Amino acid sequence: TQLLEQSPQFLSIQEGENLTVYCNSSSVFSSLQWYRQEPGEGPVLLVTVVTGGEVKKLKRLTFQFGDARKDSSLHITAAQPGDTGLYLCAGLLGTQGGSEKLVFGKGTKLTVNP
Amino acid sequence: DAGITQSPRHKVTETGTPVTLRCHQTENHRYMYWYRQDPGHGLRLIHYSYGVKDTDKGEVSDGYSVSRSKTEDFLLTLESATSSQTSVYFCAIRGNYGYTFGSGTRLTVV
């Protein structure tokens, strides 16, 4: 059973277009994290959202955490070829000091064509 | 960021043999994790550790064991490797500013 449902799984767009990636769950998370992964490398943390309703911006990337802390979205404005990569959402379960663990969605493979 | 090193980076092994992968961190972070990544499945948690000798199972722990005898090292052992364990394995640590992943170990079981 996949705790985090991420969609779409694949996305191919033209340079300059906007896109949104969604991450949904029936579970409540302490925080929600977004990662980007390049081929042959491990995921790299982009952002962590902690508070329900929180919105964070990282240049052309906007991250939102749902009010109930069960879902999140990543929006990219005016995508560029350099944005190409695998985007992963991950939810944190457990309590700090205890058996805390991070569970991942299946990822969205984004291709931005010039 | 804390340094995190996985070894080996690549390994080919035969079915039925035991295999141990090593994850080493250069700072005293408490939490360490082992994941596997497969097409169509994303990253799945195998085992994790929240302190020396404190470990717990993840969602795909069958066929794997772990040990953490000191803070800096977290070992993943495939007790008797099977072809279904061919995968890319990632180690991660929970640092002060989030999670940091190693570069991965590509394991092929033939």
Side-chain angles (χ1 to χ4, degrees):
Chain A
T1 304
Q2 193 79 20
L3 266 180
L4 271 169
E5 296 292 335
Q6 190 172 340
S7 62
Q9 194 173 352
F10 299 96
L11 192 53
S12 180
I13 62 172
Q14 294 300 121
E15 183 176 0
E17 293 183 354
N18 301 331
L19 67 112
T20 302
V21 178
Y22 299 94
C23 194
N24 296 294
S25 177
S26 57
S27 299
V28 176
F29 296 103
S30 306
S31 68
L32 204 295
Q33 303 174 16
W34 286 90
Y35 292 80
R36 178 177 164 179
Q37 186 178 20
E38 302 292 340
E41 296 296 326
V44 175
L45 180 66
L46 294 174
V47 77
T48 300
V49 284
V50 178
T51 306
E54 183 177 1
V55 177
K56 280 191 175 179
K57 292 192 176 183
L58 190 66
K59 297 183 180 179
R60 293 176 292 100
L61 278 61
T62 301
F63 305 86
Q64 186 164 5
F65 201 12
D67 291 341
R69 305 207 322 273
K70 294 182 179 181
D71 54 85
S72 182
S73 63
L74 157 61
H75 183 80
I76 301 178
T77 303
Q80 299 176 359
D83 295 326
T84 293
L86 180 67
Y87 290 83
L88 297 155
C89 66
L92 189 64
L93 293 171
T95 56
Q96 195 169 8
S99 57
E100 179 185 280
K101 59 183 179 180
L102 195 63
V103 293
F104 282 81
K106 291 184 179 182
T108 296
K109 190 171 183 181
L110 172 65
T111 302
V112 183
N113 303 298
Chain B
D1 284 346
I4 179 170
T5 306
Q6 289 185 233
S7 59
R9 287 297 311 273
H10 302 271
K11 186 169 182 67
V12 180
T13 192
E14 293 186 350
T15 300
T17 60
V19 177
T20 296
L21 309 183
R22 181 179 182 241
C23 179
H24 178 78
Q25 62 159 319
T26 56
E27 297 185 18
N28 291 327
H29 291 300
R30 180 180 174 192
Y31 291 91
M32 299 184 76
Y33 305 81
W34 276 108
Y35 289 86
R36 61 178 288 176
Q37 187 172 32
D38 306 285
H41 290 280
L43 279 151
R44 292 181 291 174
L45 183 63
I46 305 171
H47 280 281
Y48 61 105
S49 171
Y50 45 95
V52 172
K53 297 186 180 178
D54 289 325
T55 65
D56 206 348
K57 296 179 179 180
E59 56 187 307
V60 289
S61 60
D62 287 348
Y64 301 95
S65 62
V66 289
S67 66
R68 193 166 177 204
S69 58
K70 46 186 179 178
T71 301
E72 58 265 36
D73 288 325
F74 191 32
L75 304 180
L76 176 71
T77 297
L78 287 65
E79 294 142 8
S80 177
T82 67
S83 58
S84 65
Q85 293 177 311
T86 291
S87 186
V88 181
Y89 292 85
F90 287 99
C91 175
I93 57 174
R94 187 191 189 281
N96 296 329
Y97 301 102
Y99 287 71
T100 301
F101 283 79
S103 297
T105 295
R106 183 172 292 276
L107 177 68
T108 303
V109 183
V110 297

